[in-house]
């Protein structure tokens, strides 16, 4: 019995964990976390192979030549360089795609939430590099300061899943924002500091191809192949120029456009699919497919294809090729006595821990921002500790910074030691945070912060209905309009057994007329016609200027002068702000967000999904949303 209860609790935790983030970011986290064990396996295999009687075969494998010829033009490199210059360019391309998506429509669109993790990320770059230079001897060894500036996102997230809080979505977002800074700076360092002599002509070709990527995005090209072709030209020109290919991958990824799917595009795709359902002909099917593809940004389509390859093939293959250090012949003893090894360990473990921790808390103290909601100070320090897992980027820079094999091997040993120590330190910090400060979870709230109040909230249906559905909405959000129809279908299904509550979550940064529309519906509510105005506003989302709102008030027979005075004087601003504050306290970050009873709905918000969850809440007796008060007339 207890085992079943524990399993159910774990499943709920995982469900809450995955549902607190946007779909693309959720897929990214799941893929990267899932590949962590494969990375560990590849690393162990590389070490065993390099220290086995077959170590010569291990070394010889990466020296095997491979060429790509198209007509009279070709590119020839050994297998090791194909991995570092080819596959790792794809790795950084995917990172660039994710950064661009987050800057355009994801977690980094709210710049207020970005400042503190970016500032902490700067600390996680400066302090490690300084510690390395303080410990490492001069000469060639001093060139390895770039080894300690990067963080391996895949290992970081995988280790966080193993040693971190049971629910860690907010901490993950904070750490991902840190790694954005790491990745951009690391690629810049690789491209500028660790590149060969520069061929100006090839640089100009790469720049022209980069400009072509910008043009493709500006003119709205939606097919994938033009971006792939131009990105390939950027990569080839970058290799020819003497710059490291990683910079080509990152820059190209950053220039692949991302956007929130528009209502017109989504509705157009639905229309084409309905046409195909009625006329299942090849040309109609092709039109439906094109309409669907056009509605999804090319950035996310590329991520969907490339993320599994990067996580399950490219990064493990890179680890297999670079983590194999032959520790026989006294190398391990020499490495443990080498200042280079301990400079790497100190830079990654102590540098990241102190740099990120001090800059995060210092930035919060001077008002640059605050830790994400649900993340405690101890959890932030635990994340800082895990950021000392450099691995992929560190191993890449080792091969670029040092020409001497002995230095490369000693630095690699340092990276592997840092991986173990950083993971252990993170585990200790997270356990202490949980025991001493009760920091057991680092996710957004999932419970409605304020109970439904019939004297304040706007309710459709019987106030004493056994089931409650609360929606946080924005009148300019195209998918809220869509969800309004969904909510209607749900209400029709349950009849008098359901009360539907609408609360405001205005998003003025993306919907500039949302606050005025919210004020208008509250002004109409003051004259007893909230739901009538509510339906009109969603029916005319593209017409929400003040004169439009006045026209709707006249159409409903309201006192237009009183209505406009209420809107102009912001008489209902406090009510709207309270709703927005309640939404944030309840873990709602976008619109529409639904609560079934008091629990935030996670996953699709189509009618069938909401109906299924409401039925489940009825069976469990958890769907009331703390009903109370008397029935409305």
């Amino acid at each position: 019995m207890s085992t079943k209860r524990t399993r159910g609790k774990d499943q709920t935790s995982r469900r809450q964990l995955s549902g607190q983030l946007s779909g693309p970011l959720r897929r990214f986290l799941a893929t990267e976390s899932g590949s962590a064990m494969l990375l560990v396996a590849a690393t162990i295999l590389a070490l065993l192979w390099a220290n086995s009687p077959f170590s010569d075969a291990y070394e010889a494998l990466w020296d095997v030549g491979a060429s790509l010829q198209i007509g009279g033009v070709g590119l020839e490199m050994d297998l090791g360089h194909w991995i570092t210059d080819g596959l790792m360019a794809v790795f950084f391309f995917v990172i660039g795609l994710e950064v661009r998506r987050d800057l355009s429509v994801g977690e980094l669109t709210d710049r207020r939430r970005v400042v503190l993790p970016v500032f902490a990320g700067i600390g996680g770059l400066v302090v490690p590099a300084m510690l390395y230079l303080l410990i490492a001897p001069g000469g060639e060894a001093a060139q390895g300061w770039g080894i300690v500036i990067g963080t391996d996102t895949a290992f970081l997230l995988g280790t966080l899943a193993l040693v971190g809080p049971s629910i860690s979505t907010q901490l993950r977002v904070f750490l991902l924002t840190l790694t954005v800074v790491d990745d951009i700076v690391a690629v810049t360092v690789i491209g500028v500091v660790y590149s060969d002599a520069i061929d100006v002509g090839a640089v100009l070709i790469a720049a022209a191809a980069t400009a072509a990527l910008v043009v493709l995005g500006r003119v709205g090209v939606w097919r994938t192949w033009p971006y792939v072709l131009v990105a390939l030209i950027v990569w080839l020109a970058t290799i020819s120029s003497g710059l490291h290919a990683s910079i080509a991958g990152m820059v190209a990824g950053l220039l692949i456009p991302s956007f929130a799917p528009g209502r017109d595009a989504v509705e157009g795709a639905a229309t084409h699919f309905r046409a195909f359902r009625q006329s299942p002909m090849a040309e109609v099917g092709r039109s439906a497919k094109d309409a669907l593809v056009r509605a999804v940004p090319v950035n996310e389509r590329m991520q969907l294809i490339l993320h599994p390859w990067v996580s399950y093939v490219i990064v493990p293959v890179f680890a297999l090729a670079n983590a194999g250090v032959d520790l026989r012949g006294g190398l391990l003893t020499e490495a443990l006595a080498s200042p280079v090894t301990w400079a790497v360990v100190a830079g990654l473990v102590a540098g990241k821990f102190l740099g990120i921790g001090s800059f995060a808390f210092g930035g919060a103290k001077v008002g640059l921002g605050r830790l994400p909601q649900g993340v405690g100070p101890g959890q932030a320090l635990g994340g800082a500790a895990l950021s000392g897992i450099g691995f992929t980027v560190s191993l890449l820079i080792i091969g670029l910074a040092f020409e001497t094999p002995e230095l490369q091997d000693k630095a690699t040993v340092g990276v592997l030691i840092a991986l173990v120590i950083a993971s252990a330190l993170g585990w200790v910090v997270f356990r202490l945070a949980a025991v001493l400060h009760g920091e057991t979870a680092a996710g957004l709230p999932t419970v409605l912060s304020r109970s439904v109040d019939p004297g304040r909230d706007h309710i459709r249906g019987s106030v004493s209905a056994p089931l409650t559905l609360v929606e946080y909405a924005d009148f300019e959000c195209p998918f809220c309009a869509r969800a309004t129809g969904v909510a209607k279908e749900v209400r029709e299904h349950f009849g008098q057994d359901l009360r539907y509550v609408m609360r405001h979550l205005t998003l003025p940064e993306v919907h500039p007329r949302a606050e005025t529309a919210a004020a208008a519906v509250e002004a109409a509510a003051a004259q007893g016609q909230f739901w009538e105005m509510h339906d009109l506003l969603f029916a005319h989302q593209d017409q929400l200027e003040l004169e439009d709102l006045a026209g709707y008030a006249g159409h409903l027979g309201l006192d237009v002068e009183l209505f406009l005075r209420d809107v102009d004087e912001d008489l209902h601003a406090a009510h709207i702000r309270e709703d927005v504050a309640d939404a944030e306290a309840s873990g709602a970050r976008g619109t529409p967000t639904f609560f079934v009873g008091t629990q935030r709905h996670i996953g699709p918000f189509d009618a069938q999904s909401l109906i299924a969850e409401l039925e489940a809440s009825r069976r469990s007796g958890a769907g009331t949303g703390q009903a109370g008060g008397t029935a409305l007339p």
Side-chain angles (χ1 to χ4, degrees):
M1 180 86 65
S2 62
T3 302
K4 291 182 179 179
R5 283 199 298 268
T6 301
R7 185 181 299 119
K9 181 179 179 181
D10 290 343
Q11 289 172 344
T12 301
S13 297
R14 288 194 294 269
R15 185 164 175 254
Q16 292 173 347
L17 174 77
S18 65
Q20 290 170 3
L21 300 176
S22 60
L25 184 58
R26 190 162 61 243
R27 290 192 298 270
F28 174 81
L29 293 175
T31 302
E32 294 295 328
S33 298
S35 69
M37 296 308 296
L38 191 57
L39 257 179
V40 172
T43 303
I44 294 173
L45 176 59
L47 287 169
L48 292 175
W49 191 356
N51 289 274
S52 74
F54 308 101
S55 58
D56 290 342
Y58 176 82
E59 294 293 338
L61 175 62
W62 314 117
D63 292 329
V64 172
S67 62
L68 177 65
Q69 295 284 338
I70 302 178
V73 180
L75 183 64
E76 183 173 1
M77 296 186 287
D78 60 46
L79 190 56
H81 280 90
W82 275 110
I83 293 171
T84 57
D85 292 343
L87 296 184
M88 290 308 289
V90 179
F91 169 81
F92 283 107
F93 178 75
V94 172
I95 290 176
L97 289 174
E98 180 63 23
V99 173
R100 173 59 184 271
R101 194 205 70 82
D102 277 347
L103 287 169
S104 300
V105 297
E107 308 301 326
L108 304 184
T109 53
D110 188 345
R111 303 300 189 253
R112 296 169 300 180
R113 297 176 183 169
V114 172
V115 176
L116 185 63
V118 166
F119 187 66
I122 293 172
L125 295 167
V126 175
V127 177
M130 292 177 62
L131 275 177
Y132 178 90
L133 291 172
L134 283 173
I135 299 173
E140 185 182 359
Q143 299 174 16
W145 60 269
I147 297 168
V148 299
I149 65 176
T151 296
D152 189 305
T153 305
F155 252 132
L156 169 66
L157 296 178
T159 309
L160 179 63
L162 294 174
V163 307
S166 58
I167 300 175
S168 58
T169 47
Q170 288 293 87
L171 179 58
R172 287 177 176 228
V173 172
F174 182 77
L175 294 176
L176 276 174
T177 309
L178 287 173
T179 61
V180 167
V181 180
D182 277 3
D183 291 333
I184 291 176
V185 174
V187 169
T188 303
V189 168
I190 291 170
V192 176
V193 178
Y194 298 121
S195 292
D196 300 325
I198 306 302
D199 183 328
V200 177
V203 169
L204 292 176
I205 294 174
T210 301
L213 280 177
V214 175
V215 172
L216 289 174
R218 290 288 177 87
V219 300
V221 174
W222 58 271
R223 296 188 184 278
T224 303
W225 69 263
Y227 294 97
V228 174
L229 178 61
V230 177
L232 184 61
I233 294 172
V234 173
W235 174 70
L236 290 170
T238 301
I239 290 180
S240 301
S241 72
L243 293 170
H244 194 270
S246 60
I247 197 167
M250 176 69 85
V251 170
L254 286 169
L255 295 177
I256 306 299
S258 182
F259 52 85
R263 182 184 182 186
D264 291 342
V266 174
E267 293 291 348
T271 299
H272 280 82
F273 269 93
R274 283 194 295 269
F276 177 70
R277 185 177 182 181
Q278 295 170 355
S279 302
M281 302 169 63
E283 59 269 24
V284 180
R286 185 170 58 250
S287 297
K289 178 183 177 182
D290 288 347
L292 179 61
V293 171
R294 191 181 291 111
V296 180
V298 63
N299 181 295
E300 294 188 18
R301 281 183 268 133
M302 285 185 169
Q303 286 190 60
L304 190 64
I305 294 171
L306 292 176
H307 263 310
W309 285 99
V310 167
S311 298
Y312 292 106
V313 178
I314 291 176
V315 173
V317 166
F318 176 83
L320 181 65
N322 289 273
V325 180
D326 191 342
L327 301 175
R328 297 169 298 178
L331 176 61
L332 182 59
T333 302
E334 292 177 8
L336 293 177
S338 170
V340 172
T341 300
W342 294 110
V344 171
V345 174
L348 284 171
V349 178
K352 291 289 185 181
F353 183 72
L354 296 174
I356 293 173
S358 61
F359 273 58
F361 296 138
K365 191 173 184 62
V366 300
L368 291 180
R370 59 183 181 180
L371 292 176
Q373 184 182 10
V375 176
Q379 293 169 336
L381 285 176
L386 294 185
S387 296
I389 301 174
F391 204 73
T392 304
V393 177
S394 296
L395 293 179
L396 176 61
I397 294 179
I398 285 172
L400 300 173
F402 299 142
E403 294 183 2
T404 306
E406 291 78 8
L407 282 179
Q408 292 179 355
D409 290 342
K410 292 173 182 177
T412 301
V413 171
V415 171
L416 296 175
I417 293 173
L419 188 156
V420 176
I421 296 177
S423 301
L425 178 61
W427 180 84
V428 170
V429 174
F430 282 126
R431 296 290 81 74
L432 290 175
V435 172
L436 299 179
H437 302 289
E439 297 176 8
T440 57
L444 289 171
T446 58
V447 179
L448 195 65
S449 69
R450 177 171 54 81
S451 304
V452 174
D453 180 1
R456 179 193 182 280
D457 284 311
H458 305 292
I459 300 174
R460 257 180 171 163
S462 172
V463 173
S464 57
L467 299 174
T468 298
L469 180 66
V470 179
E471 177 185 359
Y472 282 96
D474 175 322
F475 285 104
E476 206 174 351
C477 166
F479 298 101
C480 290
R482 181 73 175 166
T484 301
V486 169
K488 180 180 179 182
E489 186 176 341
V490 174
R491 294 198 313 273
E492 290 174 349
H493 175 86
F494 287 101
Q496 290 302 305
D497 286 344
L498 176 72
R499 60 175 183 172
Y500 168 73
V501 181
M502 185 270 178
R503 289 178 177 174
H504 301 286
L505 177 50
T506 54
L507 305 172
E509 295 86 358
V510 290
H511 301 141
R513 292 176 290 276
E515 290 182 331
T516 305
V521 78
E522 291 298 334
Q527 298 187 45
Q529 297 204 47
F530 174 88
W531 292 109
E532 291 80 1
M533 179 64 77
H534 166 280
D535 294 344
L536 273 175
L537 295 183
F538 273 127
H540 301 87
Q541 282 190 303
D542 57 343
Q543 298 173 314
L544 296 177
E545 301 295 344
L546 188 59
E547 56 269 26
D548 300 317
L549 302 176
Y552 305 147
H555 175 76
L556 295 174
L558 303 180
D559 183 331
V560 177
E561 184 177 349
L562 176 61
F563 171 86
L564 290 174
R565 187 173 71 235
D566 282 4
V567 173
D568 186 58
E569 296 179 0
D570 289 333
L571 294 185
H572 306 284
H575 180 104
I576 297 168
R577 284 195 300 268
E578 287 173 1
D579 275 4
V580 173
D582 290 336
E584 181 161 353
S586 304
R589 288 293 180 273
T591 56
T593 296
F594 289 95
F595 286 78
V596 173
T598 60
Q599 295 296 313
R600 180 154 52 85
H601 171 72
I602 296 168
F605 46 82
D606 59 283
Q608 292 306 312
S609 297
L610 291 172
I611 288 171
E613 190 158 344
L614 282 161
E615 292 286 10
S617 71
R618 171 154 45 193
R619 290 191 296 270
S620 66
T624 63
Q626 298 159 332
T630 58
L632 292 178

